Amino acid sequence: MEGFHPTVRRWFEARFPEGPTAPQRRGWPAIRSGRHTLIAAPTGSGKTLAAFLAAIDELVRLGLDPAAGGRGTLPNETRVVYVSPLKALGNDIAKNLAEPLAGIRNELTRMGLPDVEIRTAVRTGDTPPAERQAHLRNPPHLYVTTPESLYILLTTRRGREMLETVRTVIVDEIHAVADDKRGSHLALTLERLEDLVVHGPAGRPPVRIGLSATVRPIEEVARFLVGAPRVSGDEVARDCVVVDEGHVREM
């Protein structure tokens, strides 16, 4: 947990006294250094939290940054997009985010620091139009969506305005789409999103984090994650770190 904000570290250590899992220990340094990262590990190994906690830590630091006022107020913009191929998984993730976000806010209070409210929202094909419009008016900092809904957002002016501030893209269950038509469609969407962000306020590509179950060859999934422009011959570009913990969990 070295390098995390004290409030984030205190919440994690209280919630997980056994300490970080292998995917977390290996994934966090790469993610925090701004490198594209693929984490392959069995279900229940903590790889999703590995991706989200690094993003949450960055938002907490932003809210407390003296240069930005240091009053806990975050910019009214979307910073993290989580893409799930399954609507049900996306809804589960949104619910599971409530615990760390609430716990970290409690730690901020205990330490006498300003409250940092990190908003989340879910958009799928089942999201009512009124909710979708609310997302555009008041962008969530963490946006949970599907490949298809992300594509639709990129086809609208207001959707592009919301997404141009994205700093991190998390693609969960990436192995489930890497070899089919949905995967090809998602790959194009990720490139469109990157082009939008590069020419937006950030001025640089968002960090891509892929989460996968055990898969072979893992290099092919890494190629899919980072995109063809970052692949040279048979080697995955050096800006993509592969964390391979594809072994059976101890019971």
Side-chain angles (χ1 to χ4, degrees):
M1 295 299 294
E2 183 179 353
F4 279 87
H5 190 272
T7 55
V8 178
R9 186 172 63 249
R10 286 174 59 170
W11 170 81
F12 184 90
E13 291 173 347
R15 178 64 178 80
F16 302 100
E18 67 277 13
T21 63
Q24 292 165 350
R25 289 195 304 271
R26 296 180 59 195
W28 280 332
I31 296 170
R32 289 171 56 82
S33 66
R35 300 182 67 184
H36 302 308
T37 305
L38 171 63
I39 301 177
T43 299
S45 59
K47 57 182 180 291
T48 304
L49 185 59
F52 270 120
L53 201 63
I56 291 172
D57 181 75
E58 185 176 342
L59 287 167
V60 170
R61 290 178 178 278
L62 178 63
L64 299 177
D65 185 1
R71 298 179 180 177
T73 303
L74 288 169
N76 197 36
E77 60 188 31
T78 297
R79 306 276 295 200
V80 182
V81 169
Y82 169 91
V83 184
S84 167
L86 303 174
K87 289 188 289 186
L89 177 61
N91 288 322
D92 287 343
I93 290 296
K95 293 177 183 177
N96 292 338
L97 276 173
E99 180 186 358
L101 291 177
I104 291 168
R105 292 181 76 178
N106 288 336
E107 292 296 340
L108 287 166
T109 300
R110 289 192 185 99
M111 295 184 70
L113 295 171
D115 182 30
V116 180
E117 180 186 4
I118 300 175
R119 297 190 303 273
T120 65
V122 179
R123 171 168 174 153
T124 70
D126 297 332
T127 303
E131 285 188 28
R132 299 179 189 179
Q133 292 301 313
H135 300 165
L136 297 174
R137 291 192 301 270
N138 193 29
H141 303 111
L142 290 166
Y143 208 23
V144 178
T145 188
T146 61
E148 291 76 19
S149 291
L150 179 60
Y151 162 77
I152 291 172
L153 273 171
L154 286 167
T155 64
T156 67
R157 178 182 60 80
R158 295 186 66 188
R160 289 192 297 273
E161 290 174 353
M162 184 180 76
L163 294 172
E164 67 181 5
T165 57
V166 169
R167 302 296 198 276
T168 303
V169 181
I170 302 170
V171 183
D172 203 353
E173 300 292 332
I174 191 172
H175 60 281
V177 296
D179 64 347
D180 61 19
K181 291 181 180 180
R182 288 187 78 199
S184 299
H185 193 264
L186 175 59
L188 292 172
T189 297
L190 291 175
E191 293 300 318
R192 291 183 64 193
L193 175 62
E194 177 167 314
D195 183 71
L196 175 71
V197 173
V198 167
H199 293 92
R204 57 181 174 81
V207 175
R208 301 187 189 188
I209 304 172
L211 306 176
S212 174
T214 303
V215 63
R216 294 289 183 272
I218 194 171
E219 292 78 12
E220 290 300 321
V221 180
R223 289 186 179 91
F224 174 78
L225 173 66
V226 299
R230 295 166 198 82
V231 175
S232 176
D234 293 330
E235 298 297 326
V236 177
R238 61 185 178 183
D239 67 345
C240 182
V241 176
V242 176
V243 176
D244 187 2
E245 288 291 333
H247 53 75
V248 178
R249 291 183 64 208
E250 291 186 13
M251 299 300 292

